[in-house]
Amino acid sequence: ARTYQVLGELVRLSFTILEGESARRAFALTGDEAMLRPYHESAAEISKALDRLQSLTADNRSQQLHIQELRPQIAAKLEQMDGSIQMRRNQGPHAADQENSTRKEVALQTGVRGEMNLMMQEERQLLDAYGAAAGRSAGIAALVIASSIGLAFLIVLLAILRIHADLRARQQAERELQASEERIRLLLESTAEAILGTDLEGRCSFCNPACVR
């Protein structure tokens, strides 16, 4: 269940970053300070999300190292967006547009998304390992049923109840994860900014319609 919590937090963090980027772009286009409210809310939530991830993965050395890499990258990303907002205020939309197209922004986006993709991949690998372990546990339970009645039956019954409870929790987590991923997909498809992701071998794993255009 904790692995699903980590995946859920990573999806929510991705969505929160995208919300902040969208709010910043809306302000760059309109100059309306009200457009920045979601940006400021996202910036505050990002720090909390990172703290939750650090707590959830406290026993996972690899994920802790990823978070150590992610924190300064996200901080630099927020600093870059703050600078873009200030430039829009001082110099107008043309200056903000120039800032948004810099290589630095692209590099920051790629770094943050790449680190988060690595964290998601590691959590999914853990899920696969847990699934294999659950299969082995089921085989042992079947052997106990065949060799003993009474106390063994009671133990197996308790194990089955626990498995059902875990399955329900897993199904609920999967539904929440799918809903979060659907929200991110809709946001990616509706944004005017070209966004793409790569896997560990540098191959393109996804791109939004703006990237295709």
Side-chain angles (χ1 to χ4, degrees):
R2 186 169 58 176
T3 300
Y4 280 102
Q5 286 181 292
V6 174
L7 285 170
E9 285 294 342
L10 286 167
V11 170
R12 281 189 287 273
L13 178 57
S14 296
F15 185 72
T16 301
I17 293 172
L18 285 173
E19 281 188 318
E21 291 175 343
S22 296
R24 190 264 301 163
R25 287 194 296 271
F27 172 74
L29 291 172
T30 65
D32 185 356
E33 293 285 340
M35 296 290 184
L36 289 178
R37 180 178 177 182
Y39 169 77
H40 294 305
E41 291 174 349
S42 296
E45 177 58 26
I46 284 170
S47 178
K48 296 177 183 178
L50 287 171
D51 289 341
R52 289 193 296 268
L53 280 170
Q54 188 129 29
S55 176
L56 285 169
T57 61
D59 60 347
N60 188 323
R61 171 67 175 168
S62 177
Q63 295 292 52
Q64 292 285 296
L65 291 175
H66 285 310
I67 294 172
Q68 289 179 16
E69 293 290 330
L70 195 57
R71 281 187 183 275
Q73 291 178 357
I74 290 180
K77 173 66 176 173
L78 291 173
E79 183 179 356
Q80 184 272 329
M81 288 196 291
D82 285 341
S84 176
I85 290 169
Q86 194 59 43
M87 185 173 291
R88 172 62 175 87
R89 287 171 175 156
N90 296 336
Q91 302 178 31
H94 180 66
D97 288 341
Q98 288 181 336
E99 173 68 12
N100 293 341
S101 63
T102 61
R103 292 183 179 180
K104 178 181 179 181
E105 181 180 16
V106 174
L108 289 171
Q109 290 173 346
T110 301
V112 169
R113 292 191 179 110
E115 204 68 46
M116 293 178 67
N117 283 340
L118 289 175
M119 293 185 70
M120 287 185 175
Q121 288 176 16
E122 289 194 14
E123 291 302 318
R124 293 190 183 280
Q125 288 171 358
L126 285 175
L127 283 179
D128 291 340
Y130 294 155
R136 291 191 295 271
S137 297
I140 293 172
L143 180 61
V144 171
I145 292 174
S147 61
S148 180
I149 300 175
L151 180 60
F153 177 80
L154 178 60
I155 293 173
V156 172
L157 178 61
L158 292 174
I160 291 173
L161 291 175
R162 176 60 183 273
I163 289 172
H164 280 303
D166 288 344
L167 284 175
R168 286 195 297 270
R170 176 172 178 169
Q171 289 169 352
Q172 179 63 28
E174 285 178 339
R175 286 193 292 269
E176 293 176 359
L177 182 61
Q178 289 171 357
S180 298
E181 289 176 340
E182 178 64 13
R183 288 195 296 271
I184 291 179
R185 183 187 68 79
L186 291 174
L187 184 59
L188 287 171
E189 290 180 354
S190 62
T191 183
E193 181 181 5
I195 299 174
L196 62 86
T198 59
D199 58 20
L200 292 174
E201 297 178 358
R203 296 175 299 192
C204 179
S205 58
F206 75 88
C207 64
N208 66 345
C211 182
V212 174
R213 292 195 296 269

